[in-house]
Amino acid sequence: MLVPLAKLSCPAYQCFHALKIKKNYLPLCGTRWSSTSVVPRITTHYTIYPRDKDKRWEGVNMERFAEEADVVIVGAGPAGLSAAVRLKQLATKHEKDIRVCLVEKAAQIGAHTLSGACLDPRAFEELFPDWKEKGAPLNTPVTEDRFGILTEKYRIPVPILPGLPMNNHGNYIVRLGHLVSWMGEQAEALGVEVYPGYAAAEVLFHEDSSVKGIATNDVGIQKDGAPKTTFERGLELHAKVTIFAEGCHGHLAKQLYKKFDLRANCDPQTYGIGLKELWIIDEKKWKPGRVDHTVGWPLDRHTYGGSFLYHLNEGEPLVALGFVVGLDYQNPYLSPFREFQRWKHHPSIQPTLEGGKRIAYGARALNEGGFQSIPKLTFPGGLLIGCSPGFMNVPKIKGSHTAMKSGILAAESIFNQLTGENLQSKTIGSDSDQLKPAKDCTPIEYPKPDGQISFDLLSSVALSGTNHEHDQPAHLTLKDDSIPVNRNLSIYDGPEQRFCPAGVYEFVPLEQGDGFRLQINAQNCVHCKTCDIKDPSQNINWVVPEGGGGPAYNGM
Ligand SMILES: Cc1cc2nc3c(=O)[nH]c(=O)nc-3n(C[C@H](O)[C@H](O)[C@H](O)COP(=O)(O)OP(=O)(O)OC[C@H]3O[C@@H](n4cnc5c(N)ncnc54)[C@H](O)[C@@H]3O)c2cc1C
Ligand code: SF4
């Protein structure tokens, strides 16, 4: 269920909040934003307030059931599924029996996938040479490539010569969510145990610090962090090898970087946020196979980014369009969502959409660091693949084929070692620094959405199908609840209100006087991970919510 942004302060909510405030006041250093000496507790998640020190958890059975597998994979995107499929293909070919389990936080495989997507098919063809006979959803070969530099009123066409990164000859325009869903079916047919709706919440370690596997998330925890009567502990999945394929800015990968110092010899990773919509357009304007990219307007010359507009051939006049903004932007008043809405009004874009209907919306962060930002990929008991470590070809803006290829290579090397029986552990940059203080920047006046071509945030999030169990602790956890007001609001004018593409963060007036508090509308989160990357105080830690929660994309 969507939470109506800013209008959330209904009396019931206020009462509830007032009670919580009384119980949970924390000390606060005074700022011009808050007149009180305390801030309400916002974060109730057990990763910040451990349950073993919480009286409400006394006597609750915390034992977990454990399963043993040969390989456990976290994340059913192109990378995780390619690894799973290749492992089982090799097992079949060499008549070996290996148990491969794959967990995915989306309720359905593909429902959290969001991409462009123009696919370079080479890794996919390596995995499924007979994909045409098998009916894989690659329906739209690229027939036309366009690239332009936009000024406010004009478009300067740029020729795309063979060999340039933007040349898409031989590629396919796909709905990556559908392709991933098809790959999930292939994986299951090969004997992979696929578990959608299960988020890996914790990395498990052996006594020698090697990775032992993962634990899926607990369910049945109240918003205030207390157990419900329906509380159930997650499941432990132990494995000889655990593959982390969480996609860009994986939350378990972040822990692994620290634990094994994996980023010691690489550049910091940098990121962009990609926002996307699907439209059914007037059939007369539909050019199946056309790929169109732009750079320039509405972004200024200090802000990196650009757009894509792909015409799909899926039996109806469908286009996928999106806008990417580099998260190293400096002006805290910038809203990637509103830049995207503004871009659609350009004279070279708007005519394609006029008379059409928007049918879907979503957002996701993507890596922009390139090859030099890839960390060490392996550590005792596990490894990283896909966009989690950053296998993204930045000049081509393509990561699906490199994600697949990294999954294939990981599977081949794991299979050799597993069947050679020598694989066992002994016992068994970043973007957030870039924002300038608000006082040094000019607020951006965005035009009002017209409801035809451009839209507001709430109606957009409604099209992402996002849903979370309402009564659970917010999975957007704050290391320090006072920082959003004390630092982010006072120095940067609360940039989380603008960089979140789902309106999760709002500064609302304090109930008991002047000043503000941060309200987190966690139910609206589309799992793009932008806040974890862009928060100038690095105070937000995105953790997995109850499995199955999040967007319900259909072929994004
Ligand atoms: C707007 C945009 C446009 C793009 N355009 C293109 C393009 O045109 N061509 C191209 O090749 N690439 C494109 N990319 C990049 C491409 O989408 C990625 O490179 C690719 O999806 C990476 O695959 P992956 O499997 O590593 O990660 P993902 O596709 O992100 O998959 C990771 C999966 O892991 C799941 N997961 C994460 N954490 C957990 C957890 N803890 N427990 C359980 N499950 C978890 C997620 O729900 C997700 O399903 C684009 C990306 C964006 C955002
Ligand atoms: S809360 Fe964070 S992860 Fe969720 S939609 Fe907003 S920016 Fe993205």
Side-chain angles (χ1 to χ4, degrees):
M1 190 191 66
L2 282 179
V3 174
L5 316 172
K7 295 177 189 96
L8 241 186
S9 314
C10 61
Y13 187 89
Q14 284 176 343
C15 283
F16 165 74
H17 206 87
L19 283 174
K20 253 178 49 178
I21 289 165
K22 271 198 179 148
K23 269 207 293 192
N24 296 319
Y25 266 35
L26 299 171
L28 171 84
C29 330
T31 70
R32 68 190 173 92
W33 292 104
S34 175
S35 63
T36 63
S37 57
V38 285
V39 283
R41 178 178 286 184
I42 301 169
T43 302
T44 55
H45 202 273
Y46 66 84
T47 51
I48 303 287
Y49 296 101
R51 291 178 290 203
D52 54 4
K53 297 190 179 71
D54 184 338
K55 280 208 157 42
R56 298 171 303 177
W57 286 86
E58 271 174 17
V60 176
N61 182 2
M62 298 301 270
E63 254 181 90
R64 277 191 290 223
F65 183 69
E67 282 273 321
E68 300 288 333
D70 292 299
V71 181
V72 165
I73 303 173
V74 179
L81 284 163
S82 298
V85 165
R86 182 54 115 216
L87 276 166
K88 280 300 203 179
Q89 285 174 338
L90 289 167
T92 309
K93 185 172 165 195
H94 297 281
E95 299 181 346
K96 299 275 181 189
D97 188 20
I98 56 170
R99 183 174 185 202
V100 180
C101 296
L102 190 158
V103 292
E104 164 57 49
K105 65 180 167 61
Q108 269 99 36
I109 303 297
H112 285 186
T113 302
L114 184 140
S115 193
C118 187
L119 177 79
D120 176 336
R122 67 185 118 155
F124 184 73
E125 282 175 342
E126 195 181 327
L127 207 55
F128 302 106
D130 54 350
W131 63 266
K132 280 191 184 147
E133 297 80 69
K134 284 200 155 99
L138 265 65
N139 304 319
T140 316
V142 175
T143 53
E144 185 191 354
D145 243 333
R146 295 175 9 138
F147 190 80
I149 300 169
L150 302 187
T151 64
E152 190 171 351
K153 298 231 160 52
Y154 300 100
R155 175 186 175 117
I156 304 156
V158 178
I160 299 173
L161 304 170
L164 285 179
M166 300 316 280
N167 180 6
N168 281 298
H169 182 80
N171 294 339
Y172 289 81
I173 306 170
V174 296
R175 296 176 76 169
L176 193 66
H178 287 175
L179 186 64
V180 158
S181 163
W182 182 88
M183 288 173 75
E185 287 165 18
Q186 308 307 307
E188 276 191 306
L190 283 161
V192 177
E193 293 171 44
V194 182
Y195 298 107
Y198 284 85
E202 202 181 316
V203 185
L204 304 172
F205 296 97
H206 290 293
E207 276 175 13
D208 69 353
S209 291
S210 60
V211 170
K212 184 181 187 181
I214 55 102
T216 62
N217 60 294
D218 300 343
V219 292
I221 304 176
Q222 283 174 196
K223 213 175 173 60
D224 65 2
K228 295 181 192 169
T229 48
T230 52
F231 173 74
E232 262 183 50
R233 203 67 168 117
L235 173 77
E236 292 197 4
L237 282 170
H238 301 171
K240 293 179 182 133
V241 189
T242 307
I243 303 181
F244 295 86
E246 297 169 282
C248 177
H249 208 64
H251 108 97
L252 298 181
K254 258 177 43 171
Q255 297 169 28
L256 294 165
Y257 293 150
K258 270 197 200 142
K259 170 102 182 164
F260 297 107
D261 202 15
L262 300 175
R263 304 207 65 94
N265 296 312
C266 67
D267 281 2
Q269 184 58 266
T270 56
Y271 302 88
I273 175 175
L275 304 111
K276 179 178 171 183
E277 293 176 354
L278 286 176
W279 282 64
I280 303 282
I281 57 163
D282 179 347
E283 198 153 0
K284 290 189 231 73
K285 301 170 184 173
W286 182 43
K287 313 274 178 220
R290 176 186 280 182
V291 163
D292 195 350
H293 290 109
T294 70
V295 292
W297 190 87
L299 299 179
D300 64 27
R301 65 192 168 84
H302 304 293
T303 312
Y304 173 82
S307 77
F308 61 88
L309 202 167
Y310 302 151
H311 292 244
L312 287 131
N313 192 6
E314 304 264 337
E316 55 185 347
L318 190 68
V319 293
L321 52 142
F323 201 80
V324 174
V325 179
L327 284 175
D328 56 354
Y329 68 81
Q330 297 184 332
N331 185 343
Y333 291 109
L334 188 144
S335 158
F337 171 79
R338 299 187 78 175
E339 295 293 341
F340 176 32
Q341 298 306 314
R342 185 146 75 155
W343 163 80
K344 288 185 284 175
H345 286 288
H346 191 271
S348 77
I349 305 296
Q350 180 161 333
T352 305
L353 304 177
E354 271 165 357
K357 183 177 182 331
R358 187 177 69 145
I359 58 166
Y361 165 82
R364 179 78 174 97
L366 60 159
N367 303 101
E368 286 188 345
F371 190 68
Q372 63 277 14
S373 300
I374 293 176
K376 185 168 184 293
L377 300 170
T378 57
F379 41 86
L383 72 159
L384 298 155
I385 58 172
C387 265
S388 180
F391 280 109
M392 173 93 173
N393 184 327
V394 180
K396 287 192 171 196
I397 328 170
K398 287 189 179 54
S400 303
H401 65 296
T402 41
M404 289 177 190
K405 184 68 187 179
S406 70
I408 294 171
L409 290 173
E412 288 170 354
S413 118
I414 289 169
F415 183 79
N416 287 341
Q417 302 220 30
L418 270 183
T419 51
E421 288 179 6
N422 59 354
L423 195 137
Q424 274 195 352
S425 53
K426 279 176 201 142
T427 52
I428 348 245
S430 194
D431 290 325
S432 56
D433 298 334
Q434 298 297 320
L435 280 188
K436 290 182 179 165
K439 67 177 173 41
D440 299 336
C441 298
T442 315
I444 303 173
E445 285 277 326
Y446 288 104
K448 276 213 167 82
D450 65 359
Q452 304 289 320
I453 301 293
S454 48
F455 303 93
D456 63 23
L457 203 53
L458 188 56
S459 66
S460 301
V461 182
L463 287 179
S464 68
T466 299
N467 196 7
H468 289 89
E469 158 63 41
H470 174 79
D471 190 13
Q472 64 173 309
H475 64 285
L476 296 316
T477 67
L478 304 176
K479 292 174 200 158
D480 180 337
D481 286 348
S482 70
I483 281 180
V485 169
N486 261 1
R487 188 164 190 272
N488 289 8
L489 189 59
S490 70
I491 302 176
Y492 303 103
D493 204 13
E496 51 273 67
Q497 307 172 91
R498 290 175 285 273
F499 60 59
C500 172
V504 168
Y505 300 100
E506 285 182 279
F507 288 94
V508 296
L510 279 170
E511 285 84 351
Q512 75 277 20
D514 58 346
F516 291 86
R517 65 178 174 85
L518 180 72
Q519 177 169 285
I520 299 183
N521 306 316
Q523 295 95 316
N524 291 3
C525 174
V526 297
H527 295 200
C528 74
K529 310 271 180 82
T530 301
C531 51
D532 196 304
I533 299 165
K534 187 64 179 168
D535 175 14
S537 307
Q538 285 300 283
N539 185 45
I540 300 173
N541 189 33
W542 189 99
V543 300
V544 287
E546 286 193 5
Y553 295 140
N554 176 6
M556 291 284 269

